[in-house]
Amino acid sequence: SKAGGVAGVAVPVPSATIDDDVPNRVLIKYRNTQDAKLCFEMMNGRAFDDRKVAASYSNEWDFTRAQQGEWVEAAPAIQRVDLPGQPSVGL
């Protein structure tokens, strides 16, 4: 991967109760935080077939559930926080 080492990928299938206009989810687990951040920065806002990617960070629990096929709701919007002496990070 251009963003570093991928440790896993999960693509949960939406149930029949999920509206057709709800975007699909792809969860990618990276081996370290730096690689995950690089992927976020590369993919967030990128367009494919006139559809824009809305990247977000997730947690281990949601990734495990998605791997098992459970539909996982979208993560809340990421807020950028500037810390003194540190680069901007997504929280």
Side-chain angles (χ1 to χ4, degrees):
S1 153
K2 290 181 181 181
V6 173
V9 176
V11 184
V13 178
S15 68
T17 61
I18 303 296
D19 291 337
D20 288 341
D21 62 338
V22 173
N24 290 326
R25 315 264 189 267
V26 176
L27 288 83
I28 304 170
K29 181 178 179 179
Y30 281 89
R31 292 191 180 120
N32 62 60
T33 304
Q34 294 83 4
D35 291 347
K37 184 179 177 196
L38 179 59
C39 178
F40 177 90
E41 291 170 353
M42 284 178 19
M43 298 304 292
N44 193 43
R46 188 171 173 179
F48 294 93
D49 289 332
D50 295 326
R51 294 180 180 195
K52 194 177 273 193
V53 173
S56 62
Y57 294 105
S58 189
N59 58 47
E60 187 74 27
W61 173 245
D62 284 347
F63 181 82
T64 301
R65 290 173 41 220
Q67 266 190 320
Q68 295 170 353
E70 184 178 339
W71 183 252
V72 178
E73 292 298 320
I78 301 297
Q79 295 181 359
R80 297 204 62 86
V81 177
D82 291 322
L83 303 174
Q86 298 291 323
S88 295
V89 295
L91 298 177

Coordinates of all heavy atoms in Angstrom, one line a residue:
S1 N 0.8 -1.2 0.0 CA 0.0 0.0 0.0 C 0.9 1.2 0.0 O 1.9 1.3 0.6 CB -0.9 -0.1 1.2 OG -1.3 1.2 1.7
K2 N 0.4 2.3 -0.7 CA 1.2 3.5 -0.7 C 1.2 4.2 0.7 O 2.0 5.0 1.0 CB 0.5 4.5 -1.7 CG 0.8 4.1 -3.1 CD 0.1 5.2 -4.0 CE 0.3 4.8 -5.5 NZ -0.3 5.7 -6.4
A3 N 0.3 3.8 1.5 CA 0.2 4.4 2.9 C 0.8 3.5 3.9 O 0.7 3.8 5.1 CB -1.3 4.6 3.2
G4 N 1.5 2.4 3.6 CA 2.2 1.6 4.5 C 1.6 0.2 4.7 O 0.8 -0.2 3.8
G5 N 1.9 -0.4 5.8 CA 1.5 -1.8 6.0 C 0.1 -2.0 6.4 O -0.4 -1.5 7.4
V6 N -0.7 -2.7 5.6 CA -2.1 -3.0 5.9 C -2.2 -4.3 6.7 O -1.6 -5.3 6.3 CB -2.9 -3.1 4.6 CG1 -4.3 -3.6 4.9 CG2 -3.0 -1.8 3.8
A7 N -2.8 -4.2 7.8 CA -3.0 -5.4 8.7 C -4.3 -6.1 8.4 O -4.5 -7.3 8.9 CB -2.9 -5.0 10.2
G8 N -5.3 -5.5 7.8 CA -6.6 -6.1 7.5 C -7.5 -5.2 6.8 O -7.4 -3.9 6.9
V9 N -8.5 -5.8 6.1 CA -9.5 -5.0 5.4 C -10.9 -5.6 5.7 O -11.0 -6.9 5.8 CB -9.3 -5.0 3.9 CG1 -10.4 -4.3 3.2 CG2 -8.0 -4.4 3.5
A10 N -11.9 -4.8 6.0 CA -13.2 -5.3 6.2 C -14.2 -4.5 5.4 O -14.1 -3.3 5.4 CB -13.6 -5.2 7.7
V11 N -15.1 -5.2 4.8 CA -16.2 -4.6 3.9 C -17.5 -5.1 4.4 O -18.0 -6.1 3.9 CB -16.0 -4.8 2.4 CG1 -17.0 -4.1 1.6 CG2 -14.5 -4.4 2.0
P12 N -18.1 -4.5 5.4 CA -19.4 -5.0 5.9 C -20.5 -4.8 4.8 O -20.5 -3.9 4.1 CB -19.7 -4.2 7.1 CG -18.9 -2.9 6.9 CD -17.7 -3.3 6.1
V13 N -21.4 -5.8 4.8 CA -22.5 -5.7 3.8 C -23.7 -5.1 4.5 O -24.1 -5.6 5.6 CB -22.8 -7.2 3.3 CG1 -24.0 -7.1 2.4 CG2 -21.6 -7.8 2.6
P14 N -24.3 -4.1 3.9 CA -25.5 -3.5 4.6 C -26.7 -4.4 4.6 O -26.9 -5.2 3.6 CB -25.8 -2.2 3.7 CG -25.1 -2.5 2.5 CD -24.0 -3.4 2.7
S15 N -27.5 -4.4 5.7 CA -28.7 -5.2 5.7 C -29.8 -4.6 4.9 O -29.6 -3.5 4.4 CB -29.1 -5.3 7.2 OG -29.6 -4.1 7.6
A16 N -30.8 -5.3 4.7 CA -32.0 -4.9 3.9 C -32.6 -3.6 4.5 O -33.3 -2.9 3.9 CB -33.0 -6.0 3.8
T17 N -32.4 -3.4 5.8 CA -33.0 -2.2 6.5 C -32.2 -0.9 6.2 O -32.7 0.2 6.6 CB -33.1 -2.4 8.0 OG1 -31.8 -2.6 8.5 CG2 -34.0 -3.7 8.3
I18 N -31.0 -1.0 5.6 CA -30.2 0.2 5.3 C -30.7 0.8 4.0 O -30.8 0.1 3.0 CB -28.7 -0.2 5.3 CG1 -28.3 -0.8 6.6 CG2 -27.9 1.0 5.0 CD1 -28.4 0.0 7.8
D19 N -30.9 2.1 4.0 CA -31.4 2.8 2.8 C -30.3 2.7 1.7 O -29.1 2.7 2.0 CB -31.6 4.2 3.0 CG -32.9 4.4 3.9 OD1 -33.8 3.5 3.9 OD2 -33.0 5.5 4.5
D20 N -30.7 2.6 0.4 CA -29.8 2.5 -0.7 C -28.9 3.7 -0.8 O -27.8 3.6 -1.4 CB -30.6 2.3 -2.0 CG -31.2 0.9 -2.1 OD1 -30.7 0.0 -1.4 OD2 -32.1 0.7 -2.9
D21 N -29.3 4.9 -0.3 CA -28.5 6.1 -0.5 C -27.4 6.2 0.6 O -26.6 7.1 0.6 CB -29.3 7.3 -0.5 CG -30.1 7.5 0.8 OD1 -30.3 6.5 1.6 OD2 -30.5 8.7 1.1
V22 N -27.3 5.2 1.5 CA -26.3 5.2 2.6 C -25.0 4.7 2.0 O -25.0 3.6 1.4 CB -26.7 4.4 3.8 CG1 -25.6 4.3 4.8 CG2 -27.9 5.0 4.5
P23 N -23.9 5.5 2.1 CA -22.6 5.0 1.4 C -22.1 3.7 2.0 O -22.3 3.4 3.2 CB -21.7 6.1 1.8 CG -22.5 7.3 2.2 CD -23.8 6.8 2.7
N24 N -21.4 2.9 1.2 CA -20.8 1.7 1.7 C -19.6 2.0 2.6 O -19.2 3.2 2.6 CB -20.3 0.9 0.5 CG -21.5 0.3 -0.3 OD1 -22.5 -0.1 0.3 ND2 -21.3 0.1 -1.6
R25 N -19.2 1.1 3.3 CA -18.1 1.2 4.2 C -16.9 0.3 3.9 O -17.2 -0.9 3.5 CB -18.5 0.9 5.7 CG -19.8 1.5 6.1 CD -19.6 2.8 6.9 NE -20.8 3.2 7.4 CZ -21.7 4.0 6.8 NH1 -21.4 4.5 5.6 NH2 -22.8 4.4 7.4
V26 N -15.7 0.8 4.0 CA -14.5 -0.1 3.8 C -13.6 0.3 5.0 O -13.3 1.5 5.1 CB -13.8 0.1 2.5 CG1 -12.5 -0.7 2.5 CG2 -14.7 -0.2 1.3
L27 N -13.3 -0.6 5.9 CA -12.5 -0.4 7.0 C -11.1 -1.0 6.7 O -11.0 -2.2 6.4 CB -13.1 -0.9 8.3 CG -14.3 -0.1 8.8 CD1 -15.5 -0.5 8.1 CD2 -14.4 -0.3 10.3
I28 N -10.1 -0.2 6.9 CA -8.7 -0.7 6.6 C -7.9 -0.5 7.9 O -7.8 0.6 8.5 CB -8.0 0.1 5.5 CG1 -8.9 0.0 4.2 CG2 -6.6 -0.4 5.2 CD1 -8.4 1.0 3.1
K29 N -7.3 -1.6 8.4 CA -6.5 -1.6 9.6 C -5.1 -1.5 9.2 O -4.6 -2.4 8.4 CB -6.8 -2.9 10.4 CG -6.1 -2.9 11.7 CD -6.4 -4.2 12.4 CE -5.7 -4.3 13.7 NZ -6.1 -5.5 14.5
Y30 N -4.4 -0.5 9.7 CA -2.9 -0.4 9.5 C -2.1 -0.9 10.6 O -2.6 -0.9 11.8 CB -2.6 1.1 9.1 CG -3.0 1.4 7.7 CD1 -4.3 1.9 7.4 CD2 -2.1 1.2 6.7 CE1 -4.6 2.2 6.1 CE2 -2.5 1.5 5.4 CZ -3.7 2.0 5.1 OH -4.1 2.2 3.8
R31 N -0.9 -1.2 10.4 CA 0.0 -1.7 11.4 C 0.4 -0.6 12.4 O 0.8 -1.0 13.5 CB 1.3 -2.3 10.8 CG 0.9 -3.6 10.0 CD 2.1 -4.3 9.6 NE 1.7 -5.5 8.8 CZ 2.1 -5.8 7.6 NH1 2.9 -5.0 7.0 NH2 1.6 -6.9 7.0
N32 N 0.4 0.6 12.0 CA 0.7 1.7 13.0 C -0.1 3.0 12.7 O -0.7 3.1 11.6 CB 2.2 2.0 13.0 CG 2.7 2.4 11.6 OD1 2.3 3.5 11.1 ND2 3.6 1.7 11.0
T33 N -0.1 3.9 13.6 CA -0.8 5.1 13.6 C -0.4 6.0 12.4 O -1.2 6.6 11.8 CB -0.7 5.8 14.9 OG1 -1.2 5.0 15.9 CG2 -1.6 7.1 14.9
Q34 N 0.9 6.1 12.2 CA 1.5 6.9 11.2 C 1.0 6.5 9.8 O 0.6 7.4 9.0 CB 3.0 6.9 11.2 CG 3.6 7.5 12.4 CD 3.7 6.5 13.6 OE1 3.4 5.3 13.4 NE2 4.1 7.0 14.7
D35 N 0.9 5.2 9.5 CA 0.4 4.8 8.2 C -1.1 5.1 8.1 O -1.6 5.4 7.0 CB 0.6 3.3 8.0 CG 2.1 2.9 7.9 OD1 2.9 3.9 7.7 OD2 2.5 1.7 8.0
A36 N -1.9 4.9 9.2 CA -3.3 5.2 9.1 C -3.5 6.7 8.9 O -4.4 7.0 8.1 CB -3.9 4.8 10.5
K37 N -2.7 7.5 9.5 CA -2.8 9.0 9.2 C -2.5 9.3 7.8 O -3.2 10.1 7.2 CB -1.9 9.7 10.2 CG -2.0 11.2 10.1 CD -1.1 11.9 11.1 CE -1.2 13.4 10.9 NZ -0.2 14.2 11.5
L38 N -1.5 8.7 7.2 CA -1.1 8.9 5.8 C -2.2 8.5 4.9 O -2.6 9.3 4.0 CB 0.2 8.1 5.5 CG 0.7 8.3 4.0 CD1 1.0 9.7 3.7 CD2 1.9 7.4 3.9
C39 N -2.9 7.4 5.1 CA -4.0 6.9 4.3 C -5.1 7.9 4.4 O -5.8 8.3 3.4 CB -4.5 5.6 4.8 SG -5.9 5.0 3.8
F40 N -5.4 8.4 5.7 CA -6.5 9.4 5.9 C -6.2 10.6 5.0 O -7.1 11.1 4.3 CB -6.6 9.7 7.3 CG -7.6 10.8 7.6 CD1 -8.9 10.4 7.9 CD2 -7.3 12.1 7.6 CE1 -9.9 11.4 8.2 CE2 -8.2 13.1 7.9 CZ -9.5 12.8 8.1
E41 N -5.0 11.1 5.1 CA -4.7 12.3 4.3 C -4.7 12.1 2.8 O -5.1 13.0 2.1 CB -3.3 12.8 4.8 CG -3.3 13.3 6.2 CD -1.9 13.6 6.8 OE1 -0.9 13.3 6.1 OE2 -1.9 14.2 7.9
M42 N -4.3 10.9 2.4 CA -4.4 10.6 0.9 C -5.8 10.4 0.4 O -6.1 10.8 -0.7 CB -3.6 9.3 0.6 CG -2.1 9.5 0.7 SD -1.1 8.0 0.4 CE -2.2 6.9 -0.4
M43 N -6.7 9.8 1.2 CA -8.0 9.4 0.7 C -9.1 10.4 1.0 O -10.1 10.5 0.2 CB -8.4 8.0 1.2 CG -7.4 6.9 0.8 SD -7.2 6.8 -1.0 CE -8.8 6.2 -1.4
N44 N -9.0 11.1 2.1 CA -10.2 12.0 2.5 C -10.4 13.1 1.5 O -9.5 13.8 1.1 CB -9.9 12.6 3.9 CG -11.2 13.2 4.4 OD1 -12.2 12.7 4.3 ND2 -11.0 14.4 5.0
G45 N -11.6 13.1 0.9 CA -11.9 14.1 -0.1 C -11.6 13.7 -1.5 O -12.0 14.3 -2.5
R46 N -10.9 12.5 -1.7 CA -10.6 12.1 -3.1 C -11.9 11.6 -3.7 O -12.8 11.0 -3.1 CB -9.6 10.9 -3.0 CG -9.0 10.5 -4.3 CD -7.9 9.5 -4.1 NE -7.5 9.0 -5.4 CZ -6.5 8.2 -5.5 NH1 -5.8 7.8 -4.5 NH2 -6.2 7.7 -6.7
A47 N -12.0 11.8 -5.1 CA -13.2 11.4 -5.8 C -12.9 10.2 -6.7 O -11.9 10.0 -7.3 CB -13.7 12.5 -6.7
F48 N -13.9 9.3 -6.7 CA -13.9 8.1 -7.6 C -15.3 8.1 -8.2 O -16.3 8.0 -7.5 CB -13.7 6.8 -6.8 CG -12.3 6.7 -6.2 CD1 -12.1 7.1 -4.9 CD2 -11.3 6.2 -6.9 CE1 -10.9 7.0 -4.3 CE2 -10.0 6.1 -6.3 CZ -9.8 6.5 -5.0
D49 N -15.4 8.1 -9.6 CA -16.6 8.1 -10.3 C -17.6 9.1 -9.7 O -18.8 8.9 -9.5 CB -17.3 6.7 -10.2 CG -16.6 5.7 -11.0 OD1 -15.9 6.0 -12.0 OD2 -16.7 4.5 -10.7
D50 N -17.1 10.3 -9.5 CA -17.9 11.5 -9.0 C -18.4 11.2 -7.6 O -19.4 11.9 -7.2 CB -19.0 11.8 -10.0 CG -18.5 12.3 -11.3 OD1 -17.4 13.0 -11.3 OD2 -19.1 12.0 -12.4
R51 N -17.8 10.3 -6.9 CA -18.2 10.1 -5.5 C -17.0 10.4 -4.6 O -15.9 9.9 -4.9 CB -18.7 8.7 -5.2 CG -19.9 8.3 -6.0 CD -20.3 6.9 -5.7 NE -21.5 6.6 -6.4 CZ -22.3 5.6 -6.2 NH1 -21.9 4.7 -5.2 NH2 -23.4 5.4 -6.8
K52 N -17.2 11.2 -3.6 CA -16.2 11.7 -2.8 C -16.0 10.8 -1.5 O -16.9 10.4 -0.9 CB -16.4 13.1 -2.3 CG -15.2 13.8 -1.7 CD -15.5 15.3 -1.3 CE -15.3 16.1 -2.6 NZ -15.2 17.5 -2.2
V53 N -14.7 10.4 -1.3 CA -14.4 9.6 -0.1 C -14.5 10.5 1.2 O -13.9 11.6 1.2 CB -13.0 9.0 -0.2 CG1 -12.6 8.3 1.1 CG2 -13.0 8.0 -1.4
A54 N -15.1 10.0 2.2 CA -15.2 10.7 3.5 C -14.5 9.8 4.5 O -15.1 8.9 5.1 CB -16.6 11.0 3.9
A55 N -13.2 9.9 4.6 CA -12.4 9.1 5.5 C -12.6 9.5 6.9 O -12.9 10.6 7.3 CB -10.9 9.2 5.1
S56 N -12.5 8.5 7.8 CA -12.6 8.8 9.2 C -11.8 7.7 10.0 O -11.4 6.6 9.4 CB -14.0 8.8 9.7 OG -14.6 7.5 9.5
Y57 N -11.5 7.9 11.2 CA -10.8 6.9 12.0 C -11.8 6.1 12.7 O -12.9 6.6 13.0 CB -9.9 7.6 13.1 CG -8.7 8.4 12.5 CD1 -8.7 9.8 12.4 CD2 -7.6 7.7 11.9 CE1 -7.7 10.5 11.8 CE2 -6.6 8.4 11.4 CZ -6.6 9.8 11.3 OH -5.6 10.4 10.7
S58 N -11.5 4.9 13.0 CA -12.4 3.9 13.7 C -11.6 3.3 14.8 O -10.5 3.6 15.1 CB -12.9 2.9 12.7 OG -13.9 2.1 13.3
N59 N -12.3 2.4 15.5 CA -11.6 1.7 16.6 C -11.6 0.2 16.4 O -12.2 -0.3 15.4 CB -12.4 2.0 18.0 CG -13.8 1.6 17.9 OD1 -14.2 0.5 17.5 ND2 -14.7 2.5 18.3
E60 N -10.8 -0.5 17.2 CA -10.6 -1.9 17.0 C -12.0 -2.7 17.1 O -12.2 -3.6 16.3 CB -9.7 -2.4 18.1 CG -9.3 -3.9 17.9 CD -8.3 -4.1 16.7 OE1 -7.5 -3.1 16.4 OE2 -8.3 -5.2 16.2
W61 N -12.8 -2.3 18.0 CA -14.1 -2.9 18.1 C -15.0 -2.9 16.9 O -15.5 -3.9 16.4 CB -14.9 -2.3 19.3 CG -16.3 -2.8 19.5 CD1 -17.4 -2.1 19.4 CD2 -16.7 -4.1 19.8 NE1 -18.5 -2.9 19.6 CE2 -18.1 -4.2 19.8 CE3 -16.0 -5.3 20.0 CZ2 -18.9 -5.3 20.1 CZ3 -16.8 -6.5 20.3 CH2 -18.2 -6.4 20.3
D62 N -15.1 -1.7 16.3 CA -15.8 -1.5 15.0 C -15.2 -2.3 13.9 O -15.9 -2.9 13.1 CB -15.9 -0.1 14.6 CG -17.0 0.7 15.4 OD1 -17.8 0.0 16.2 OD2 -17.0 1.9 15.4
F63 N -13.8 -2.3 13.8 CA -13.2 -3.1 12.8 C -13.5 -4.6 12.9 O -13.8 -5.3 11.9 CB -11.7 -2.9 12.8 CG -10.9 -3.7 11.8 CD1 -10.9 -3.2 10.5 CD2 -10.4 -4.9 12.0 CE1 -10.2 -3.9 9.5 CE2 -9.7 -5.6 11.0 CZ -9.7 -5.1 9.7
T64 N -13.4 -5.1 14.1 CA -13.7 -6.5 14.4 C -15.2 -6.9 14.0 O -15.4 -7.9 13.4 CB -13.5 -6.9 15.9 OG1 -12.1 -6.6 16.1 CG2 -13.8 -8.3 16.1
R65 N -16.1 -6.0 14.4 CA -17.5 -6.2 14.0 C -17.7 -6.2 12.5 O -18.4 -7.1 11.9 CB -18.4 -5.1 14.6 CG -18.5 -5.3 16.1 CD -19.2 -4.1 16.8 NE -20.3 -3.6 16.1 CZ -20.7 -2.3 16.0 NH1 -19.9 -1.4 16.5 NH2 -21.7 -2.0 15.4
A66 N -17.0 -5.3 11.8 CA -17.1 -5.2 10.4 C -16.5 -6.4 9.7 O -17.0 -6.9 8.7 CB -16.4 -3.9 9.9
Q67 N -15.4 -6.9 10.2 CA -14.8 -8.2 9.7 C -15.8 -9.3 9.8 O -15.7 -10.2 8.9 CB -13.5 -8.5 10.5 CG -12.3 -8.0 9.9 CD -11.1 -8.6 10.6 OE1 -11.0 -8.7 11.8 NE2 -10.1 -8.9 9.8
Q68 N -16.6 -9.3 10.8 CA -17.6 -10.4 11.0 C -18.8 -10.2 10.2 O -19.8 -11.0 10.2 CB -17.9 -10.6 12.5 CG -16.7 -11.0 13.3 CD -17.0 -10.9 14.8 OE1 -18.0 -10.4 15.2 NE2 -16.0 -11.4 15.5
G69 N -18.9 -9.1 9.4 CA -20.0 -8.8 8.5 C -21.0 -7.9 9.0 O -22.0 -7.6 8.3
E70 N -20.9 -7.5 10.3 CA -21.9 -6.6 10.9 C -21.8 -5.2 10.3 O -20.7 -4.7 10.0 CB -21.6 -6.5 12.4 CG -22.7 -5.7 13.1 CD -22.4 -5.6 14.6 OE1 -21.7 -6.5 15.1 OE2 -22.9 -4.7 15.2
W71 N -22.9 -4.6 10.0 CA -22.9 -3.2 9.4 C -22.5 -2.3 10.6 O -23.0 -2.3 11.7 CB -24.3 -2.8 9.0 CG -24.4 -1.5 8.4 CD1 -25.0 -0.4 8.9 CD2 -23.8 -1.1 7.1 NE1 -24.8 0.7 8.1 CE2 -24.1 0.3 7.0 CE3 -23.1 -1.7 6.1 CZ2 -23.7 1.0 5.9 CZ3 -22.7 -1.0 5.0 CH2 -23.0 0.4 4.9
V72 N -21.5 -1.4 10.3 CA -21.0 -0.5 11.2 C -21.4 0.9 10.8 O -21.1 1.3 9.7 CB -19.5 -0.6 11.4 CG1 -18.9 0.4 12.3 CG2 -19.1 -2.0 11.8
E73 N -22.0 1.7 11.7 CA -22.4 3.1 11.3 C -21.1 3.9 11.1 O -20.1 3.6 11.6 CB -23.2 3.7 12.4 CG -24.6 3.1 12.6 CD -25.4 3.2 11.3 OE1 -25.4 4.3 10.7 OE2 -26.1 2.3 11.0
A74 N -21.3 5.0 10.3 CA -20.1 5.8 10.0 C -19.7 6.5 11.3 O -20.5 6.8 12.2 CB -20.6 6.9 9.0
A75 N -18.4 6.7 11.4 CA -17.8 7.4 12.5 C -18.2 8.9 12.5 O -18.4 9.4 11.4 CB -16.3 7.2 12.5
P76 N -18.2 9.5 13.6 CA -18.5 10.9 13.6 C -17.4 11.7 12.9 O -16.3 11.2 12.8 CB -18.6 11.3 15.1 CG -18.0 10.2 15.8 CD -18.1 9.0 14.9
A77 N -17.7 12.9 12.4 CA -16.7 13.7 11.7 C -15.5 13.9 12.6 O -15.6 14.1 13.8 CB -17.3 15.1 11.4
I78 N -14.3 13.9 12.0 CA -13.1 14.1 12.6 C -12.8 15.6 12.9 O -13.0 16.4 12.0 CB -11.9 13.5 11.8 CG1 -12.1 12.0 11.6 CG2 -10.6 13.8 12.4 CD1 -12.1 11.2 12.8
Q79 N -12.5 15.9 14.0 CA -12.1 17.3 14.3 C -10.6 17.4 14.4 O -9.9 16.6 14.9 CB -12.7 17.8 15.7 CG -14.2 17.8 15.8 CD -14.7 18.2 17.1 OE1 -13.9 18.5 18.0 NE2 -15.9 18.3 17.3
R80 N -10.1 18.5 13.7 CA -8.6 18.7 13.7 C -8.3 19.6 14.9 O -9.0 20.6 15.1 CB -8.2 19.3 12.4 CG -8.5 18.3 11.3 CD -7.7 18.5 10.1 NE -6.3 18.3 10.2 CZ -5.6 17.2 10.1 NH1 -6.3 16.1 10.0 NH2 -4.3 17.1 10.2
V81 N -7.3 19.2 15.6 CA -6.9 19.9 16.8 C -5.4 20.2 16.7 O -4.6 19.3 16.4 CB -7.1 19.1 18.1 CG1 -6.6 19.9 19.3 CG2 -8.6 18.8 18.2
D82 N -5.0 21.5 16.8 CA -3.6 21.8 16.8 C -3.1 21.9 18.2 O -3.6 22.6 19.1 CB -3.4 23.2 16.1 CG -3.7 23.2 14.6 OD1 -3.3 22.1 14.0 OD2 -4.3 24.1 14.1
L83 N -2.0 21.1 18.5 CA -1.4 21.0 19.8 C -0.1 21.8 19.7 O 0.6 21.7 18.8 CB -1.2 19.6 20.2 CG -2.4 18.7 20.2 CD1 -2.0 17.2 20.5 CD2 -3.4 19.1 21.3
P84 N 0.2 22.6 20.8 CA 1.4 23.3 20.8 C 2.6 22.4 20.6 O 2.7 21.4 21.3 CB 1.5 24.0 22.1 CG 0.1 23.9 22.6 CD -0.6 22.7 22.0
G85 N 3.5 22.7 19.6 CA 4.7 21.9 19.4 C 4.5 20.6 18.7 O 5.4 19.8 18.5
Q86 N 3.2 20.3 18.3 CA 2.9 19.0 17.7 C 2.3 19.3 16.3 O 1.6 20.3 16.2 CB 2.0 18.2 18.6 CG 2.6 17.8 19.9 CD 3.7 16.8 19.7 OE1 3.7 15.9 18.9 NE2 4.7 16.9 20.6
P87 N 2.4 18.4 15.4 CA 1.7 18.5 14.1 C 0.2 18.3 14.3 O -0.2 17.8 15.3 CB 2.2 17.4 13.2 CG 2.8 16.4 14.2 CD 3.2 17.2 15.4
S88 N -0.6 18.8 13.4 CA -2.1 18.6 13.5 C -2.4 17.1 13.4 O -1.8 16.4 12.6 CB -2.8 19.4 12.4 OG -2.6 20.7 12.6
V89 N -3.3 16.7 14.3 CA -3.7 15.3 14.3 C -5.2 15.2 14.3 O -5.9 16.1 14.8 CB -3.2 14.5 15.5 CG1 -1.7 14.5 15.4 CG2 -3.6 15.1 16.8
G90 N -5.8 14.1 13.7 CA -7.2 13.9 13.7 C -7.6 13.2 15.0 O -6.9 12.3 15.4
L91 N -8.6 13.7 15.7 CA -9.1 13.1 16.9 C -10.5 12.7 16.8 O -11.3 13.2 16.1 CB -9.0 14.1 18.1 CG -7.6 14.6 18.4 CD1 -7.7 15.7 19.5 CD2 -6.7 13.5 18.8

